[in-house]
Amino acid sequence: MSDADRMAILLALVSMCSTLVGGFVAARIGERKRLVLGLAAGVMLGVVAFDLLPDALAESHDEVAGVPGALIASVVGFFTVHIIEQEMAVHVGHEHQFGAHTHGFQSVGLFAAGGLIFHSMLDGLSIGVGFQAGTALGASLAIAVICHDFADGFNAFTIPTLYGYARRRAVALLWLDALAPVVGALIGTLIHVPATLAGLYLGYFAGFLLYLATSDILPEAHAGTPSRWVLLCTIAGAALMFAVSVLSH
């Protein structure tokens, strides 16, 4: 194993710690549910706008009728979770019922957590591949991954609990999300993933997160008595991810 490979794995371990910190922060303030949900929604919107979509467009240059393939993939991702909810007939849709998710609705939360885990694995993969291309590029990618993996950890814990998972299972999913970058970095030192395929996936997952943030999490965060604090938390979450994006670039 070369020095570059060892550095990639070491930084992936730092990313794992960042993810765990984000998840444990979400767990510690979990009692203030509406504020947590508002912040999580803002973070998710920020991840979509300032992280996933820009990366997807940069990686994938395919077009269909002049429309970037990554954007089409995002629409497909949006409708994927919408169709799942409607077909399962478990989307509550009324403010006084928010939070009363059925057992079947857990599959949506599991799918979302699985997407976050896969995304985190791609983060680690990018570190490994980046160090193959050069130390400077690998270090730059690692900084970006470490910064936004805090938000990934926050969402990896919050989303499963929102969709009915017990705290223990949410923690287990958080650990899987934290370990994913390390696995990705190991893979990245061995194989190459086509940029176009990765870009289409990122676009797809962006649409998936966009739906969860706007159709599920935000309505539940604002259910009940109107609160400016929830609104401020949502704005703060998006602003945080913008700041992370600026710093990582």
Side-chain angles (χ1 to χ4, degrees):
M1 182 178 291
S2 67
D3 290 340
D5 291 342
R6 284 192 288 269
M7 181 60 69
I9 295 172
L10 176 62
L11 290 174
L13 288 171
V14 176
S15 175
M16 178 185 77
C17 295
S18 177
T19 302
L20 290 173
V21 170
F24 290 144
V25 166
R28 293 283 293 180
I29 61 175
E31 295 301 320
R32 301 174 182 177
K33 182 179 179 181
R34 293 178 62 195
L35 296 179
V36 172
L37 292 178
L39 181 62
V43 168
M44 291 169 69
L45 290 172
V47 168
V48 169
F50 309 129
D51 184 15
L52 291 177
L53 284 181
D55 286 351
L57 292 171
E59 294 290 336
S60 177
H61 302 289
D62 293 337
E63 293 187 353
V64 178
V67 180
L71 294 183
I72 295 176
S74 69
V75 174
V76 173
F78 186 95
F79 278 108
T80 294
V81 65
H82 179 60
I83 291 172
I84 288 173
E85 289 191 354
Q86 295 304 313
E87 287 300 314
M88 292 173 61
V90 293
H91 184 54
V92 288
H94 300 285
E95 287 190 356
H96 69 279
Q97 293 175 314
F98 278 128
H101 300 307
T102 66
H103 177 73
F105 207 40
Q106 291 183 353
S107 61
V108 176
L110 182 61
F111 192 33
L116 284 171
I117 292 169
F118 187 61
H119 178 211
S120 293
M121 187 185 72
L122 287 182
D123 284 342
L125 185 66
S126 69
I127 294 176
V129 173
F131 271 98
Q132 289 185 29
T135 302
L137 176 59
S140 177
L141 289 172
I143 291 172
V145 168
I146 291 168
C147 287
H148 77 67
D149 268 6
F150 176 87
D152 283 353
F154 190 94
N155 286 328
F157 181 87
T158 302
I159 291 176
T161 55
L162 171 64
Y163 287 97
Y165 277 86
R167 182 186 181 92
R168 181 178 299 177
R169 290 189 177 183
V171 170
L173 290 171
L174 170 63
W175 272 100
L176 289 176
D177 186 62
L179 290 170
V182 181
V183 175
L186 288 170
I187 295 174
T189 61
L190 301 173
I191 65 172
H192 173 70
V193 176
T196 297
L197 183 60
L200 291 177
Y201 162 76
L202 291 176
Y204 176 86
F205 190 54
F208 191 93
L209 284 187
L210 181 63
Y211 183 91
L212 293 183
T214 58
S215 297
D216 287 333
I217 298 180
L218 270 181
E220 183 159 353
H222 288 282
T225 305
S227 172
R228 290 182 178 177
W229 285 110
V230 176
L231 177 60
L232 289 174
C233 283
T234 304
I235 295 173
L240 172 64
M241 292 314 301
F242 179 75
V244 168
S245 177
V246 171
L247 291 174
S248 64
H249 289 86

